[in-house]
Amino acid sequence: MHLTRFRLNTARTGARRLLESPQRLHAAVQFGFPEVLAGHGADDTPADQPRALWRLDHISRAEAHLYVVSQSEPDLTHLVEQAGWPHRAATTGEPGWQTHHYRPFLNRLAKGDTFAFRLTANPVHSVRRHAGEPTKRTAHVTPRHQLGWLTKRQEAAGFRLLSRENPPATGRPEDGYEVVVHNRRDLSFTKSAPPVGKRAAPVTLVTVTFDGRLEVTDPEALRRTLTLGLGKAKAYGCGLMTLAPLP
């Protein structure tokens, strides 16, 4: 397993095009792996091909980082040429991105360890408007329900959200956790490569970012979460959780 970070040069037109489109960014990530066949859309990666998880972090208006978790080591030369600093890469001999072996860190995870975490996700639930109708996947749109989505999955995902020592007296359950729900994005676009004979289907997503603190409760389950992702819409930059040491 590998964990990769790539900083986008937001002054470049190519970088801005990628930042505007989860589809373009997904394709750019997939083409970093020679073993992934060309010509597949965002949602039709073959079952026997590795699917890389990715997440885009907007550090500021002028700084954005792309994180990728993958089985094999990526080659992001095309991203450097399109959205990075190619001259610097050529003159310094550095590739323009940083890739680290992820397995040693994953193997060190132990029950009771605590970390800061970040997760961008697509919190959804299934609803039925009328009896007898099939259920429909619907986005959670309030921070309360979005955090509720995460708390319902924490046990199976191998972690426990840490509670605040002195929670505010608001009466809201979500205020009791050391978690901030922010950066909501409402995305709407059309699939660029529909299957032959079918019309392009519209895609609507609500994504949010969770920043908080957690305790490891099941190391093996958490390893699966960190490498396979959490929730839906993984092709569009959701599901990748990263951990960092607590100060």
Side-chain angles (χ1 to χ4, degrees):
M1 295 300 300
H2 296 80
L3 175 63
T4 299
R5 183 180 69 172
F6 175 84
R7 182 181 176 186
L8 287 91
N9 183 350
T10 56
R12 304 195 66 169
T13 301
R16 292 196 294 270
R17 280 175 53 82
L18 293 175
L19 292 172
E20 293 169 356
S21 171
Q23 285 187 304
R24 295 192 194 108
L25 193 48
H26 169 73
V29 170
Q30 290 296 88
F31 280 111
F33 302 92
E35 63 272 22
V36 176
L37 299 176
H40 290 282
D43 278 339
D44 58 355
T45 302
D48 59 348
Q49 296 289 341
R51 165 169 284 187
L53 295 173
W54 62 272
R55 187 184 76 223
L56 186 65
D57 285 1
H58 292 270
I59 310 303
S60 66
R61 290 188 62 184
E63 186 174 0
H65 290 173
L66 172 68
Y67 289 88
V68 180
V69 168
S70 57
Q71 288 283 349
S72 58
E73 184 174 357
D75 182 345
L76 302 183
T77 304
H78 61 298
L79 271 179
V80 175
E81 295 170 348
Q82 179 182 0
W85 285 265
H87 177 72
R88 179 179 178 182
T91 56
T92 64
E94 299 176 356
W97 67 90
Q98 299 84 42
T99 296
H100 305 280
H101 289 285
Y102 204 19
R103 185 59 62 184
F105 171 78
L106 297 174
N107 290 340
R108 290 196 301 269
L109 292 175
K111 186 175 182 179
D113 288 348
T114 55
F115 294 95
F117 76 89
R118 172 168 289 179
L119 166 70
T120 294
N122 169 227
V124 296
H125 63 131
S126 296
V127 297
R128 180 181 286 111
R129 293 177 298 177
H130 305 288
E133 284 190 350
T135 58
K136 181 180 179 181
R137 188 181 298 170
T138 305
H140 288 300
V141 295
T142 65
R144 175 182 179 181
H145 291 101
Q146 290 160 348
L147 182 56
W149 173 90
L150 183 60
T151 59
K152 290 177 181 177
R153 285 155 180 78
Q154 59 181 337
E155 181 179 356
F159 64 88
R160 177 182 67 85
L161 298 176
L162 295 182
S163 299
R164 297 182 186 273
E165 292 185 2
N166 299 297
T170 61
R172 296 192 297 261
E174 64 270 23
D175 292 335
Y177 294 104
E178 290 197 40
V179 180
V180 176
V181 185
H182 64 104
N183 195 30
R184 170 178 165 176
R185 300 183 69 198
D186 295 86
L187 306 176
S188 181
F189 50 91
T190 301
K191 288 186 179 181
S192 58
V196 177
K198 294 186 178 181
R199 297 180 61 183
V203 178
T204 57
L205 296 173
V206 174
T207 69
V208 295
T209 298
F210 301 93
D211 279 317
R213 299 185 176 194
L214 60 77
E215 177 184 340
V216 180
T217 56
D218 184 336
E220 188 56 38
L222 185 55
R223 292 184 191 104
R224 291 194 297 270
T225 299
L226 296 175
T227 55
L228 299 179
L230 185 63
K232 305 292 185 181
K234 297 182 180 68
Y236 302 114
C238 297
L240 173 56
M241 173 184 280
T242 51
L243 305 180
L246 288 174

